[in-house]
Amino acid sequence: MLAAKKKWVSRETTAVSETAVNALSQAAEVSPLVARLLITRGIDTPEAAEPFLHADQQPLLDPTTMHDMEKAVERIQAAVIAGDQITIYGDYDADGLTSTAIMYETLDQIGANVNYYIPDRFKDGYGPNQAAFDRLIAKGTQLFVTVDNGVAGNAVIDQVQAQGVDVVVTDHHELPAELPHAYAIVHPRHPEGHYSFGGLSGAGVAFKVATALIEEVPEELLDLAAIGIVADLVSLTGENRTIVTLGLKVLQQTTRPGLAALIQEAGLQPNKLTETSIGFGIAPRLNALGRLQSAQSGVELLTTLDEERATALAKQVNQLNEKRQGLVKTISASAIEQAQSAENQARQTLVITGKGWHEGVLGIVASHVVETTGKPTLVLNEDADGRLKGSGRSVEAYNLFAAIDPVRDALVAFGGHHMAVGLTVMADQLERLKTAMEDAAIQQQLADNAQVKLAIDGTLSVADATLDTLADIQSLAPFGTDNPAPLFKLAPTTIPQARAIGSDQQHLKLQLGDGDTTVDAIGFSMGDALPAIQASPTDVTLVGALSENTWNGQTKPQIMIKDVAVTGTQVIDARTQHLSAHLFQAPGTYLFFHRRIMKQVEQYMGAQAKAVWVGEEDVDLATVTAGQAVFIVDCPDTLPDMTQVLSSIALDQVTLYLYRRDSVYMSGMPNREQFAKLFQFTAAHHDVDIHHQLTQVAKHLHFERNLLIFMIQVFFEVGFVKINDGVMNGVSNPSKADLHHAPSYQLREQQIVAEETLLYSKSAALQVWVKNQAAVKN
């Protein structure tokens, strides 16, 4: 009744034996559940489990094994001794701000003459900017230390070095083929280095530089390093796991006035801070600075000792985050509405455009559109000069960078990777960009692989969804990249409560039942699943993460829903306005309401695919579809036609293409004035060759061509015109007639109703409607 939006797959690559689970459970002194979760993460021995379960007890790696670390430290120390002006060149995201703060506090501690510069996203862009470096040199900078950027800045850095100003690069991003000729490049994955963990973030690298400079682990900087690591979504394994575990303990007792004020503004409890608190509370607020304005004040917030200043800055950051949230909500609503247009519903990829949209949040908006539609999406803002700039996000099955790269010459600017891009394009090249993305969707076979995978760790009963189970699972925290929070499949026997919540009823709130036990569950942006759940509450299966919710001083377990399905008849919404060969390759019965469409595509049918015209005399739909997957290819002219088919077949799985080349619903019904205009035309013009002059007539009357054809047919049926051999003439003094009684008029009314229900309804509503009709018996 409601298909899962994602493809549910087991995280277990091979079957996990109970013997292995019990053995690890006893040896590592963990519950069988935790032992199984460890094994599915590739941790299947007590020796491997020990450092994972006790990350805070693991020694940190020797920073001097990182490439150029000793060289960088010696150069920085020389600058400190000489009293040279050192400028830290950072970045405007949370990882960049914490990197800058770590480096600034360390250099200040060892007596350096140090300042910092955070580039402006809109003026300077990401990474080394020549104009910015030139201004800083003019103001006296004698040594640059980059943090969280620099390895891709060879053009700028090489020129700065040529001026006699050294640059020490500390970075963690992908190493390009050509590295800058910096004085030193400190990077955990440099091919000439020997560092055994390459997954550090910018803040992690800065922390290691700080360790090397002061020759001991700077525990007071662990909180900043943890924020940067979690915010940058790097792997939460190895040394990152140790730094974050230790850093959370420091963060829970932070003495930094700025962080304490920010934690309070975010409504977080200091003693209960987790990696989730960073990811959804602290990091977004720091990121909001760089998205909406200069992020320079972010470093001040993290490093100030002035409590009054810290409070003011935290309030400013929180206000900017609220503004960012408002912008995202407003733009997302407009973008999603645009994504649901008839034209975009027919596309496999989306290019959404608007005017007056804040460019700093378009990446977030693109992510929301992808989450809603499942389609790779660009979201672009158009300025007064016809320049469109923005961001794109993708799905696993579609390489967005590879899709756009072939038309790079048509773009003003372009960069990115598989899942995300940024670009600028002029309006006159927009169609070329759209075409390239659609062509790539075909080449990359997006239609066959578009469904995003959702990795499941196992099953969980409602009775076991308890706070004790949650405490058990938390022994695997901190969660994040490469160590995701476990997801479980739940199949409640009942849904005692189901409702939509939120200002726009966009969220789903359920109570899951299993015998005498219940647990609450919430699914953000899943409100559209409510009709299907209410229609069949005993057939609900969902995937979610076990969490806790505290309300009015009471803490209870809660399931955070990631996907939901309602079993029984599987209705797959694959509505399209383009029929192509790959749609007819799967085994099954393909039903057609219009014989001409069937004739057009029969040649493309797969070996085990069968085409059936539902209007064929004596066709027994129940027989021809028995035991088959059913595909309804085209849209019927009336809802009763659809009901007749659905109630006549044994329905286990139905895929809806519902193809219609020209939408009657979108064209609408002609109004009285339009009919009058045509009547006047037929009275004034004789011998109109509608076979050859129809397009000219449509332009003359300012009608859509298909709409004009319909109106002429109505006039012919009521006797207002005569047509002989394709030549039309008006009838002199025709008898009065009610156009509503014309067969074509009545058919169009039914077509509009059918299209509104079948083509333009939301997916969940369509699935419920189909299920209900399938239950109708003649």
Side-chain angles (χ1 to χ4, degrees), residues 233-261:
L233 303 178
V234 291
S235 177
L236 272 183
T237 59
E239 190 172 33
N240 280 342
R241 185 171 174 80
T242 298
I243 293 173
V244 172
T245 303
L246 294 169
L248 284 170
K249 294 180 180 180
V250 176
L251 189 60
Q252 290 167 358
Q253 302 174 24
T254 186
T255 57
R256 296 178 180 277
L259 274 181

PDB file of all heavy atoms in Angstrom, residues 233-261:
ATOM      1  N   LEU A 233      31.952  15.727   9.274  1.00  0.00           N
ATOM      2  CA  LEU A 233      31.465  14.414   8.824  1.00  0.00           C
ATOM      3  C   LEU A 233      32.584  13.487   8.364  1.00  0.00           C
ATOM      4  O   LEU A 233      32.398  12.673   7.450  1.00  0.00           O
ATOM      5  CB  LEU A 233      30.428  14.582   7.701  1.00  0.00           C
ATOM      6  CG  LEU A 233      29.198  15.434   8.033  1.00  0.00           C
ATOM      7  CD1 LEU A 233      28.290  15.548   6.818  1.00  0.00           C
ATOM      8  CD2 LEU A 233      28.448  14.856   9.217  1.00  0.00           C
ATOM      9  N   VAL A 234      33.754  13.608   8.984  1.00  0.00           N
ATOM     10  CA  VAL A 234      34.837  12.673   8.671  1.00  0.00           C
ATOM     11  C   VAL A 234      34.606  11.379   9.450  1.00  0.00           C
ATOM     12  O   VAL A 234      33.728  11.299  10.303  1.00  0.00           O
ATOM     13  CB  VAL A 234      36.214  13.279   9.002  1.00  0.00           C
ATOM     14  CG1 VAL A 234      36.545  14.408   8.047  1.00  0.00           C
ATOM     15  CG2 VAL A 234      36.254  13.775  10.455  1.00  0.00           C
ATOM     16  N   SER A 235      35.380  10.372   9.151  1.00  0.00           N
ATOM     17  CA  SER A 235      35.188   9.053   9.748  1.00  0.00           C
ATOM     18  C   SER A 235      35.337   9.092  11.271  1.00  0.00           C
ATOM     19  O   SER A 235      36.352   9.558  11.797  1.00  0.00           O
ATOM     20  CB  SER A 235      36.217   8.077   9.162  1.00  0.00           C
ATOM     21  OG  SER A 235      36.093   6.810   9.764  1.00  0.00           O
ATOM     22  N   LEU A 236      34.323   8.569  11.957  1.00  0.00           N
ATOM     23  CA  LEU A 236      34.399   8.507  13.421  1.00  0.00           C
ATOM     24  C   LEU A 236      34.933   7.151  13.844  1.00  0.00           C
ATOM     25  O   LEU A 236      34.300   6.396  14.590  1.00  0.00           O
ATOM     26  CB  LEU A 236      33.029   8.789  14.047  1.00  0.00           C
ATOM     27  CG  LEU A 236      32.753  10.269  14.295  1.00  0.00           C
ATOM     28  CD1 LEU A 236      31.415  10.469  14.979  1.00  0.00           C
ATOM     29  CD2 LEU A 236      33.851  10.904  15.133  1.00  0.00           C
ATOM     30  N   THR A 237      36.108   6.858  13.339  1.00  0.00           N
ATOM     31  CA  THR A 237      36.847   5.663  13.715  1.00  0.00           C
ATOM     32  C   THR A 237      38.270   6.088  14.065  1.00  0.00           C
ATOM     33  O   THR A 237      38.622   7.262  13.944  1.00  0.00           O
ATOM     34  CB  THR A 237      36.890   4.646  12.550  1.00  0.00           C
ATOM     35  OG1 THR A 237      37.519   5.268  11.409  1.00  0.00           O
ATOM     36  CG2 THR A 237      35.486   4.201  12.156  1.00  0.00           C
ATOM     37  N   GLY A 238      39.079   5.130  14.506  1.00  0.00           N
ATOM     38  CA  GLY A 238      40.489   5.408  14.765  1.00  0.00           C
ATOM     39  C   GLY A 238      40.712   6.582  15.707  1.00  0.00           C
ATOM     40  O   GLY A 238      40.026   6.737  16.720  1.00  0.00           O
ATOM     41  N   GLU A 239      41.681   7.429  15.367  1.00  0.00           N
ATOM     42  CA  GLU A 239      42.044   8.533  16.246  1.00  0.00           C
ATOM     43  C   GLU A 239      40.923   9.550  16.394  1.00  0.00           C
ATOM     44  O   GLU A 239      40.775  10.174  17.455  1.00  0.00           O
ATOM     45  CB  GLU A 239      43.316   9.212  15.729  1.00  0.00           C
ATOM     46  CG  GLU A 239      43.896  10.218  16.722  1.00  0.00           C
ATOM     47  CD  GLU A 239      45.238  10.753  16.297  1.00  0.00           C
ATOM     48  OE1 GLU A 239      45.467  10.890  15.074  1.00  0.00           O
ATOM     49  OE2 GLU A 239      46.069  11.053  17.186  1.00  0.00           O
ATOM     50  N   ASN A 240      40.117   9.723  15.347  1.00  0.00           N
ATOM     51  CA  ASN A 240      38.980  10.639  15.472  1.00  0.00           C
ATOM     52  C   ASN A 240      38.048  10.212  16.594  1.00  0.00           C
ATOM     53  O   ASN A 240      37.508  11.049  17.327  1.00  0.00           O
ATOM     54  CB  ASN A 240      38.187  10.701  14.158  1.00  0.00           C
ATOM     55  CG  ASN A 240      38.834  11.597  13.126  1.00  0.00           C
ATOM     56  OD1 ASN A 240      39.679  12.419  13.456  1.00  0.00           O
ATOM     57  ND2 ASN A 240      38.440  11.443  11.883  1.00  0.00           N
ATOM     58  N   ARG A 241      37.838   8.912  16.711  1.00  0.00           N
ATOM     59  CA  ARG A 241      36.959   8.389  17.765  1.00  0.00           C
ATOM     60  C   ARG A 241      37.513   8.728  19.150  1.00  0.00           C
ATOM     61  O   ARG A 241      36.775   9.116  20.053  1.00  0.00           O
ATOM     62  CB  ARG A 241      36.822   6.878  17.579  1.00  0.00           C
ATOM     63  CG  ARG A 241      35.858   6.204  18.525  1.00  0.00           C
ATOM     64  CD  ARG A 241      35.636   4.744  18.109  1.00  0.00           C
ATOM     65  NE  ARG A 241      34.823   4.059  19.090  1.00  0.00           N
ATOM     66  CZ  ARG A 241      33.505   4.145  19.163  1.00  0.00           C
ATOM     67  NH1 ARG A 241      32.857   4.904  18.301  1.00  0.00           N
ATOM     68  NH2 ARG A 241      32.821   3.489  20.091  1.00  0.00           N
ATOM     69  N   THR A 242      38.831   8.604  19.280  1.00  0.00           N
ATOM     70  CA  THR A 242      39.455   8.931  20.564  1.00  0.00           C
ATOM     71  C   THR A 242      39.340  10.425  20.866  1.00  0.00           C
ATOM     72  O   THR A 242      38.961  10.821  21.979  1.00  0.00           O
ATOM     73  CB  THR A 242      40.937   8.513  20.550  1.00  0.00           C
ATOM     74  OG1 THR A 242      41.016   7.094  20.370  1.00  0.00           O
ATOM     75  CG2 THR A 242      41.625   8.900  21.849  1.00  0.00           C
ATOM     76  N   ILE A 243      39.640  11.262  19.872  1.00  0.00           N
ATOM     77  CA  ILE A 243      39.586  12.717  20.087  1.00  0.00           C
ATOM     78  C   ILE A 243      38.164  13.162  20.439  1.00  0.00           C
ATOM     79  O   ILE A 243      37.966  13.972  21.358  1.00  0.00           O
ATOM     80  CB  ILE A 243      40.101  13.469  18.845  1.00  0.00           C
ATOM     81  CG1 ILE A 243      41.599  13.215  18.640  1.00  0.00           C
ATOM     82  CG2 ILE A 243      39.840  14.972  18.980  1.00  0.00           C
ATOM     83  CD1 ILE A 243      42.143  13.783  17.335  1.00  0.00           C
ATOM     84  N   VAL A 244      37.172  12.641  19.725  1.00  0.00           N
ATOM     85  CA  VAL A 244      35.787  13.048  19.987  1.00  0.00           C
ATOM     86  C   VAL A 244      35.318  12.550  21.346  1.00  0.00           C
ATOM     87  O   VAL A 244      34.651  13.277  22.099  1.00  0.00           O
ATOM     88  CB  VAL A 244      34.852  12.555  18.862  1.00  0.00           C
ATOM     89  CG1 VAL A 244      33.391  12.795  19.229  1.00  0.00           C
ATOM     90  CG2 VAL A 244      35.183  13.252  17.543  1.00  0.00           C
ATOM     91  N   THR A 245      35.671  11.311  21.696  1.00  0.00           N
ATOM     92  CA  THR A 245      35.266  10.776  23.002  1.00  0.00           C
ATOM     93  C   THR A 245      35.848  11.620  24.134  1.00  0.00           C
ATOM     94  O   THR A 245      35.144  11.980  25.094  1.00  0.00           O
ATOM     95  CB  THR A 245      35.732   9.311  23.143  1.00  0.00           C
ATOM     96  OG1 THR A 245      35.189   8.535  22.078  1.00  0.00           O
ATOM     97  CG2 THR A 245      35.253   8.723  24.465  1.00  0.00           C
ATOM     98  N   LEU A 246      37.123  11.939  24.027  1.00  0.00           N
ATOM     99  CA  LEU A 246      37.749  12.788  25.038  1.00  0.00           C
ATOM    100  C   LEU A 246      37.214  14.218  24.972  1.00  0.00           C
ATOM    101  O   LEU A 246      36.982  14.866  26.002  1.00  0.00           O
ATOM    102  CB  LEU A 246      39.270  12.797  24.838  1.00  0.00           C
ATOM    103  CG  LEU A 246      39.998  11.467  25.076  1.00  0.00           C
ATOM    104  CD1 LEU A 246      41.441  11.564  24.593  1.00  0.00           C
ATOM    105  CD2 LEU A 246      39.948  11.092  26.553  1.00  0.00           C
ATOM    106  N   GLY A 247      37.024  14.704  23.763  1.00  0.00           N
ATOM    107  CA  GLY A 247      36.563  16.074  23.589  1.00  0.00           C
ATOM    108  C   GLY A 247      35.172  16.314  24.129  1.00  0.00           C
ATOM    109  O   GLY A 247      34.878  17.403  24.645  1.00  0.00           O
ATOM    110  N   LEU A 248      34.302  15.310  24.031  1.00  0.00           N
ATOM    111  CA  LEU A 248      32.951  15.466  24.584  1.00  0.00           C
ATOM    112  C   LEU A 248      32.986  15.631  26.099  1.00  0.00           C
ATOM    113  O   LEU A 248      32.192  16.387  26.669  1.00  0.00           O
ATOM    114  CB  LEU A 248      32.089  14.256  24.200  1.00  0.00           C
ATOM    115  CG  LEU A 248      31.586  14.234  22.753  1.00  0.00           C
ATOM    116  CD1 LEU A 248      30.952  12.899  22.417  1.00  0.00           C
ATOM    117  CD2 LEU A 248      30.579  15.365  22.523  1.00  0.00           C
ATOM    118  N   LYS A 249      33.910  14.951  26.745  1.00  0.00           N
ATOM    119  CA  LYS A 249      34.043  15.107  28.203  1.00  0.00           C
ATOM    120  C   LYS A 249      34.486  16.520  28.559  1.00  0.00           C
ATOM    121  O   LYS A 249      33.995  17.110  29.533  1.00  0.00           O
ATOM    122  CB  LYS A 249      35.044  14.079  28.744  1.00  0.00           C
ATOM    123  CG  LYS A 249      34.570  12.635  28.617  1.00  0.00           C
ATOM    124  CD  LYS A 249      35.611  11.664  29.168  1.00  0.00           C
ATOM    125  CE  LYS A 249      35.128  10.220  29.048  1.00  0.00           C
ATOM    126  NZ  LYS A 249      36.118   9.250  29.580  1.00  0.00           N
ATOM    127  N   VAL A 250      35.412  17.073  27.762  1.00  0.00           N
ATOM    128  CA  VAL A 250      35.842  18.452  27.995  1.00  0.00           C
ATOM    129  C   VAL A 250      34.704  19.415  27.701  1.00  0.00           C
ATOM    130  O   VAL A 250      34.465  20.382  28.445  1.00  0.00           O
ATOM    131  CB  VAL A 250      37.073  18.778  27.120  1.00  0.00           C
ATOM    132  CG1 VAL A 250      37.468  20.247  27.275  1.00  0.00           C
ATOM    133  CG2 VAL A 250      38.248  17.868  27.484  1.00  0.00           C
ATOM    134  N   LEU A 251      33.974  19.142  26.621  1.00  0.00           N
ATOM    135  CA  LEU A 251      32.876  20.019  26.213  1.00  0.00           C
ATOM    136  C   LEU A 251      31.766  20.054  27.256  1.00  0.00           C
ATOM    137  O   LEU A 251      31.158  21.104  27.510  1.00  0.00           O
ATOM    138  CB  LEU A 251      32.314  19.538  24.867  1.00  0.00           C
ATOM    139  CG  LEU A 251      31.293  20.438  24.164  1.00  0.00           C
ATOM    140  CD1 LEU A 251      31.902  21.811  23.865  1.00  0.00           C
ATOM    141  CD2 LEU A 251      30.818  19.779  22.874  1.00  0.00           C
ATOM    142  N   GLN A 252      31.510  18.919  27.893  1.00  0.00           N
ATOM    143  CA  GLN A 252      30.472  18.860  28.919  1.00  0.00           C
ATOM    144  C   GLN A 252      30.803  19.714  30.144  1.00  0.00           C
ATOM    145  O   GLN A 252      29.902  20.068  30.906  1.00  0.00           O
ATOM    146  CB  GLN A 252      30.244  17.401  29.342  1.00  0.00           C
ATOM    147  CG  GLN A 252      29.573  16.548  28.264  1.00  0.00           C
ATOM    148  CD  GLN A 252      29.639  15.060  28.556  1.00  0.00           C
ATOM    149  OE1 GLN A 252      30.226  14.641  29.564  1.00  0.00           O
ATOM    150  NE2 GLN A 252      29.063  14.249  27.683  1.00  0.00           N
ATOM    151  N   GLN A 253      32.079  20.028  30.298  1.00  0.00           N
ATOM    152  CA  GLN A 253      32.512  20.853  31.433  1.00  0.00           C
ATOM    153  C   GLN A 253      33.283  22.074  30.948  1.00  0.00           C
ATOM    154  O   GLN A 253      34.179  22.565  31.625  1.00  0.00           O
ATOM    155  CB  GLN A 253      33.391  20.014  32.361  1.00  0.00           C
ATOM    156  CG  GLN A 253      32.716  18.761  32.887  1.00  0.00           C
ATOM    157  CD  GLN A 253      33.664  17.875  33.696  1.00  0.00           C
ATOM    158  OE1 GLN A 253      34.662  18.349  34.234  1.00  0.00           O
ATOM    159  NE2 GLN A 253      33.338  16.605  33.786  1.00  0.00           N
ATOM    160  N   THR A 254      32.916  22.550  29.761  1.00  0.00           N
ATOM    161  CA  THR A 254      33.711  23.612  29.133  1.00  0.00           C
ATOM    162  C   THR A 254      33.804  24.863  29.996  1.00  0.00           C
ATOM    163  O   THR A 254      32.845  25.252  30.672  1.00  0.00           O
ATOM    164  CB  THR A 254      33.140  23.978  27.749  1.00  0.00           C
ATOM    165  OG1 THR A 254      34.025  24.906  27.104  1.00  0.00           O
ATOM    166  CG2 THR A 254      31.749  24.602  27.861  1.00  0.00           C
ATOM    167  N   THR A 255      34.993  25.442  29.970  1.00  0.00           N
ATOM    168  CA  THR A 255      35.202  26.719  30.659  1.00  0.00           C
ATOM    169  C   THR A 255      35.252  27.862  29.652  1.00  0.00           C
ATOM    170  O   THR A 255      35.546  29.003  30.021  1.00  0.00           O
ATOM    171  CB  THR A 255      36.525  26.676  31.453  1.00  0.00           C
ATOM    172  OG1 THR A 255      37.606  26.379  30.563  1.00  0.00           O
ATOM    173  CG2 THR A 255      36.454  25.633  32.555  1.00  0.00           C
ATOM    174  N   ARG A 256      34.976  27.569  28.404  1.00  0.00           N
ATOM    175  CA  ARG A 256      34.969  28.611  27.368  1.00  0.00           C
ATOM    176  C   ARG A 256      33.657  29.391  27.465  1.00  0.00           C
ATOM    177  O   ARG A 256      32.578  28.830  27.240  1.00  0.00           O
ATOM    178  CB  ARG A 256      35.097  27.995  25.976  1.00  0.00           C
ATOM    179  CG  ARG A 256      36.389  27.274  25.735  1.00  0.00           C
ATOM    180  CD  ARG A 256      36.430  26.651  24.338  1.00  0.00           C
ATOM    181  NE  ARG A 256      37.699  25.958  24.145  1.00  0.00           N
ATOM    182  CZ  ARG A 256      38.816  26.549  23.786  1.00  0.00           C
ATOM    183  NH1 ARG A 256      38.813  27.854  23.535  1.00  0.00           N
ATOM    184  NH2 ARG A 256      39.938  25.869  23.658  1.00  0.00           N
ATOM    185  N   PRO A 257      33.720  30.669  27.754  1.00  0.00           N
ATOM    186  CA  PRO A 257      32.483  31.459  27.866  1.00  0.00           C
ATOM    187  C   PRO A 257      31.639  31.422  26.586  1.00  0.00           C
ATOM    188  O   PRO A 257      30.409  31.343  26.647  1.00  0.00           O
ATOM    189  CB  PRO A 257      32.995  32.874  28.162  1.00  0.00           C
ATOM    190  CG  PRO A 257      34.346  32.667  28.782  1.00  0.00           C
ATOM    191  CD  PRO A 257      34.911  31.473  28.098  1.00  0.00           C
ATOM    192  N   GLY A 258      32.311  31.449  25.428  1.00  0.00           N
ATOM    193  CA  GLY A 258      31.577  31.454  24.169  1.00  0.00           C
ATOM    194  C   GLY A 258      30.818  30.174  23.920  1.00  0.00           C
ATOM    195  O   GLY A 258      29.647  30.182  23.526  1.00  0.00           O
ATOM    196  N   LEU A 259      31.480  29.029  24.141  1.00  0.00           N
ATOM    197  CA  LEU A 259      30.805  27.750  23.959  1.00  0.00           C
ATOM    198  C   LEU A 259      29.692  27.566  24.982  1.00  0.00           C
ATOM    199  O   LEU A 259      28.611  27.066  24.658  1.00  0.00           O
ATOM    200  CB  LEU A 259      31.813  26.602  24.069  1.00  0.00           C
ATOM    201  CG  LEU A 259      32.562  26.230  22.789  1.00  0.00           C
ATOM    202  CD1 LEU A 259      33.509  25.065  23.046  1.00  0.00           C
ATOM    203  CD2 LEU A 259      31.586  25.880  21.682  1.00  0.00           C
ATOM    204  N   ALA A 260      29.948  27.955  26.209  1.00  0.00           N
ATOM    205  CA  ALA A 260      28.917  27.831  27.242  1.00  0.00           C
ATOM    206  C   ALA A 260      27.684  28.652  26.867  1.00  0.00           C
ATOM    207  O   ALA A 260      26.536  28.181  27.014  1.00  0.00           O
ATOM    208  CB  ALA A 260      29.470  28.295  28.596  1.00  0.00           C
ATOM    209  N   ALA A 261      27.899  29.861  26.366  1.00  0.00           N
ATOM    210  CA  ALA A 261      26.773  30.706  25.965  1.00  0.00           C
ATOM    211  C   ALA A 261      26.052  30.129  24.744  1.00  0.00           C
ATOM    212  O   ALA A 261      24.819  30.168  24.656  1.00  0.00           O
ATOM    213  CB  ALA A 261      27.275  32.119  25.653  1.00  0.00           C
TER     214      ALA A 261
END
